[in-house]
Amino acid sequence: MNALSMKKAQQGFTLIELMIVVAIIGILAAIAIPAYSDYTSKTRAAGTVAETDSSRTAVAVCYNDTLSFANCNTGSNGVPTIQTSRNITAVTATAAGVIAGTSGAALADGTALTYTMTPTFTAGNANITWTTTGTICNSTRGLKPGQGGCAADN
Protein backbone atom coordinates (compact mmCIF):
# COMPACT_ATOMS: atom_id res chain seq x y z
CA MET A 1 0.00 0.00 0.00
CA ASN A 2 1.19 3.46 -0.73
CA ALA A 3 1.00 6.40 1.72
CA LEU A 4 -2.01 8.00 -0.01
CA SER A 5 -4.30 4.95 0.29
CA MET A 6 -3.19 4.42 3.91
CA LYS A 7 -4.20 8.00 4.79
CA LYS A 8 -7.70 7.60 3.25
CA ALA A 9 -8.33 4.37 5.16
CA GLN A 10 -7.76 6.11 8.50
CA GLN A 11 -10.13 9.02 7.90
CA GLY A 12 -13.06 9.48 10.35
CA PHE A 13 -15.76 12.03 10.99
CA THR A 14 -14.88 15.69 11.24
CA LEU A 15 -15.66 17.69 14.36
CA ILE A 16 -18.35 19.65 12.49
CA GLU A 17 -20.12 16.43 11.42
CA LEU A 18 -20.10 15.15 15.01
CA MET A 19 -21.41 18.47 16.33
CA ILE A 20 -24.27 18.41 13.81
CA VAL A 21 -25.25 14.88 14.88
CA VAL A 22 -25.18 15.88 18.57
CA ALA A 23 -27.33 18.96 17.81
CA ILE A 24 -29.90 16.85 15.93
CA ILE A 25 -30.08 14.34 18.80
CA GLY A 26 -30.54 17.24 21.26
CA ILE A 27 -33.41 18.71 19.24
CA LEU A 28 -35.14 15.32 18.99
CA ALA A 29 -34.74 14.75 22.74
CA ALA A 30 -36.15 18.21 23.52
CA ILE A 31 -39.30 17.28 21.61
CA ALA A 32 -39.63 13.65 22.69
CA ILE A 33 -39.06 13.87 26.46
CA PRO A 34 -41.99 16.23 27.27
CA ALA A 35 -44.30 14.25 24.96
CA TYR A 36 -43.31 11.01 26.69
CA SER A 37 -43.88 12.60 30.11
CA ASP A 38 -47.40 13.71 29.07
CA TYR A 39 -48.12 10.23 27.74
CA THR A 40 -47.06 8.46 30.96
CA SER A 41 -49.10 10.89 33.08
CA LYS A 42 -52.21 10.28 30.94
CA THR A 43 -51.66 6.54 31.28
CA ARG A 44 -51.50 6.78 35.07
CA ALA A 45 -54.68 8.90 35.12
CA ALA A 46 -56.49 6.23 33.09
CA GLY A 47 -55.05 3.61 35.45
CA THR A 48 -56.53 5.51 38.40
CA VAL A 49 -60.00 5.21 36.88
CA ALA A 50 -59.48 1.53 36.07
CA GLU A 51 -58.24 0.70 39.57
CA THR A 52 -61.26 2.36 41.22
CA ASP A 53 -63.66 0.40 39.01
CA SER A 54 -64.17 -2.44 41.51
CA SER A 55 -65.02 0.05 44.25
CA ARG A 56 -67.43 1.88 41.96
CA THR A 57 -69.10 -1.44 41.15
CA ALA A 58 -69.33 -2.23 44.88
CA VAL A 59 -70.94 1.17 45.54
CA ALA A 60 -73.48 0.41 42.79
CA VAL A 61 -74.28 -2.97 44.38
CA CYS A 62 -74.55 -1.31 47.81
CA TYR A 63 -76.97 1.28 46.40
CA ASN A 64 -79.00 -1.50 44.78
CA ASP A 65 -79.25 -3.30 48.14
CA THR A 66 -79.89 -0.27 50.39
CA LEU A 67 -81.46 2.24 47.96
CA SER A 68 -79.17 4.91 49.41
CA PHE A 69 -75.56 6.03 49.04
CA ALA A 70 -75.45 7.01 52.74
CA ASN A 71 -74.12 3.65 53.96
CA CYS A 72 -71.93 2.85 50.96
CA ASN A 73 -68.66 3.67 52.73
CA THR A 74 -65.28 2.01 52.56
CA GLY A 75 -65.30 -1.17 54.60
CA SER A 76 -69.08 -1.40 54.93
CA ASN A 77 -71.81 -3.02 52.86
CA GLY A 78 -69.27 -4.77 50.65
CA VAL A 79 -67.41 -1.63 49.54
CA PRO A 80 -63.71 -2.55 49.62
CA THR A 81 -60.83 -0.39 50.76
CA ILE A 82 -58.97 0.96 47.75
CA GLN A 83 -55.32 -0.01 47.83
CA THR A 84 -52.58 2.45 46.94
CA SER A 85 -50.48 1.68 43.89
CA ARG A 86 -48.44 3.43 41.25
CA ASN A 87 -51.66 4.94 39.85
CA ILE A 88 -53.36 5.74 43.18
CA THR A 89 -50.98 7.28 45.69
CA ALA A 90 -53.60 8.14 48.34
CA VAL A 91 -57.31 7.73 48.93
CA THR A 92 -58.46 10.62 51.10
CA ALA A 93 -62.17 9.86 51.40
CA THR A 94 -64.71 7.24 50.51
CA ALA A 95 -67.97 8.28 52.14
CA ALA A 96 -71.56 8.06 50.91
CA GLY A 97 -70.31 6.42 47.74
CA VAL A 98 -67.89 9.25 46.93
CA ILE A 99 -64.36 8.10 46.07
CA ALA A 100 -61.65 10.75 46.37
CA GLY A 101 -57.89 10.70 46.41
CA THR A 102 -54.61 11.46 44.71
CA SER A 103 -53.53 9.94 41.42
CA GLY A 104 -50.07 8.85 40.35
CA ALA A 105 -50.53 11.19 37.39
CA ALA A 106 -48.91 14.61 37.79
CA LEU A 107 -48.65 18.03 36.21
CA ALA A 108 -45.42 19.03 34.49
CA ASP A 109 -44.20 20.65 37.73
CA GLY A 110 -44.68 17.36 39.63
CA THR A 111 -47.92 18.29 41.43
CA ALA A 112 -50.03 15.14 41.78
CA LEU A 113 -53.50 15.20 40.22
CA THR A 114 -56.46 14.83 42.56
CA TYR A 115 -59.84 13.29 41.84
CA THR A 116 -63.32 13.03 43.32
CA MET A 117 -65.73 10.49 41.82
CA THR A 118 -69.34 11.15 42.80
CA PRO A 119 -72.19 8.72 42.04
CA THR A 120 -75.63 9.91 41.00
CA PHE A 121 -78.74 7.83 40.45
CA THR A 122 -81.79 9.30 38.73
CA ALA A 123 -85.09 7.48 39.19
CA GLY A 124 -86.11 5.72 36.01
CA ASN A 125 -82.53 5.27 34.80
CA ALA A 126 -80.91 1.87 34.73
CA ASN A 127 -77.38 3.01 35.59
CA ILE A 128 -75.54 5.05 38.17
CA THR A 129 -73.72 8.00 36.62
CA TRP A 130 -70.23 8.79 37.94
CA THR A 131 -68.99 12.37 37.75
CA THR A 132 -65.25 12.92 38.12
CA THR A 133 -63.94 16.29 39.22
CA GLY A 134 -60.55 17.57 40.31
CA THR A 135 -57.26 18.28 38.62
CA ILE A 136 -57.26 14.81 37.02
CA CYS A 137 -59.65 16.29 34.42
CA ASN A 138 -56.77 17.83 32.46
CA SER A 139 -56.60 17.12 28.73
CA THR A 140 -52.80 17.53 28.60
CA ARG A 141 -51.65 15.43 31.58
CA GLY A 142 -54.81 13.66 32.81
CA LEU A 143 -58.20 12.62 31.47
CA LYS A 144 -59.70 14.20 28.38
CA PRO A 145 -63.18 15.79 28.56
CA GLY A 146 -65.77 13.00 28.47
CA GLN A 147 -63.25 10.37 29.64
CA GLY A 148 -63.53 8.71 33.05
CA GLY A 149 -66.54 10.82 34.08
CA CYS A 150 -64.91 14.20 33.44
CA ALA A 151 -67.27 16.84 32.08
CA ALA A 152 -67.41 16.92 28.29
CA ASP A 153 -66.69 20.15 26.43
CA ASN A 154 -69.79 21.72 24.97
Side-chain angles (χ1 to χ4, degrees), residues 78-105:
V79 179
T81 301
I82 299 173
Q83 300 299 314
T84 58
S85 69
R86 190 174 196 173
N87 298 321
I88 300 174
T89 57
V91 177
T92 56
T94 315
V98 175
I99 301 169
T102 306
S103 174

Side-chain angles (χ1 to χ4, degrees), residues 20-45:
I20 290 171
V21 169
V22 169
I24 290 171
I25 290 171
I27 291 168
L28 291 174
I31 294 168
I33 291 171
Y36 178 75
S37 180
D38 289 349
Y39 172 76
T40 55
S41 182
K42 284 181 181 183
T43 302
R44 287 198 178 151

Side-chain angles (χ1 to χ4, degrees), residues 8 19 27 33 43 51 59 75 79 85 88 109 119 125 127 145 148:
K8 285 194 180 247
M19 289 175 58
I27 291 168
I33 291 171
T43 302
E51 289 180 19
V59 168
V79 179
S85 69
I88 300 174
D109 66 0
N125 286 350
N127 299 321

Side-chain angles (χ1 to χ4, degrees), residues 8 14 34 36 45 65 67-68 78 102 108-109 111 117 120 126 137 139 145 147 149:
K8 285 194 180 247
T14 65
Y36 178 75
D65 293 345
L67 299 178
S68 170
T102 306
D109 66 0
T111 305
M117 298 175 178
T120 306
C137 295
S139 59
Q147 181 185 21

